Amino acid sequence: MAELTHERLLSLLRYDPVAGVFIWRVRVSNISAGTIAGTPKAKGYRGIRIDGISYYEHRLAVFYMTGEWPENDVDHRNLIRSDNRYANLRPATVSQNKMNRRAQSNNLLGVKGVSYDRRFDWYQARIKTNGRQRTIGVYGTLEEAAAAYEASANDNFGAFARAA
């Protein structure tokens, strides 16, 4: 099957960049024209099936608005994977996209990039850059370690850095 063209996308769907939703322009199978397109997918994303191929809505939104498929990842600024408003989407590298996330659910401190070492009674701040984990430093308090992580994340990832 040929890759979806911009013309084909425009002929099938209308995208509202403010609301972040796609509307069918034509009847497709048992779906009426004027119906909101898309269904929930794994991990909170939404998808639309076109010509037998499933596409992520956030990638379709960028393609719809720019006429070109995104080369890399598409990041949701507010971390809500189903929020496909165009203002909430931005191009990102894999590393940038991974930086724009909350602390993992198994993080007992609730602070991204910081762990506590009971043996030495210190907090260690670490960050992953260019595929390598590196230690930023060790600190006496959680707040100091969190501040060090945040500063390093801002230096390395700018607008994509998310401390918490």
Side-chain angles (χ1 to χ4, degrees), residues 38-92:
T39 58
K41 291 182 70 87
K43 300 182 181 178
Y45 293 105
R46 290 187 50 83
I48 299 175
R49 193 164 187 80
I50 301 172
D51 298 332
I53 299 173
S54 185
Y55 297 93
Y56 284 109
E57 280 188 16
H58 57 284
R59 295 185 65 78
L60 280 177
V62 172
F63 183 46
Y64 189 98
M65 295 296 287
T66 66
E68 299 194 12
W69 285 106
E71 289 184 29
N72 296 308
D73 284 359
V74 176
D75 180 55
H76 292 82
R77 293 175 194 268
N78 67 2
L79 305 182
I80 301 171
R81 295 173 175 169
S82 61
D83 182 356
N84 294 311
R85 293 174 297 123
Y86 193 64
N88 187 46
L89 304 175
R90 62 184 169 185

Side-chain angles (χ1 to χ4, degrees), residues 82-101:
S82 61
D83 182 356
N84 294 311
R85 293 174 297 123
Y86 193 64
N88 187 46
L89 304 175
R90 62 184 169 185
T93 65
V94 172
S95 294
Q96 289 171 328
N97 203 3
K98 286 183 178 184
M99 283 306 297
N100 187 27
R101 66 166 86 170

Side-chain angles (χ1 to χ4, degrees), residues 93 95-96 99 126-132 134-136 148-162:
T93 65
S95 294
Q96 289 171 328
M99 283 306 297
R126 300 182 71 174
I127 193 164
K128 190 170 189 175
T129 57
N130 300 322
R132 301 190 74 174
R134 69 176 181 85
T135 300
I136 299 166
Y149 173 82
E150 185 173 351
S152 183
N154 284 331
D155 288 346
N156 285 285
F157 297 101
F160 290 89
R162 182 171 296 273

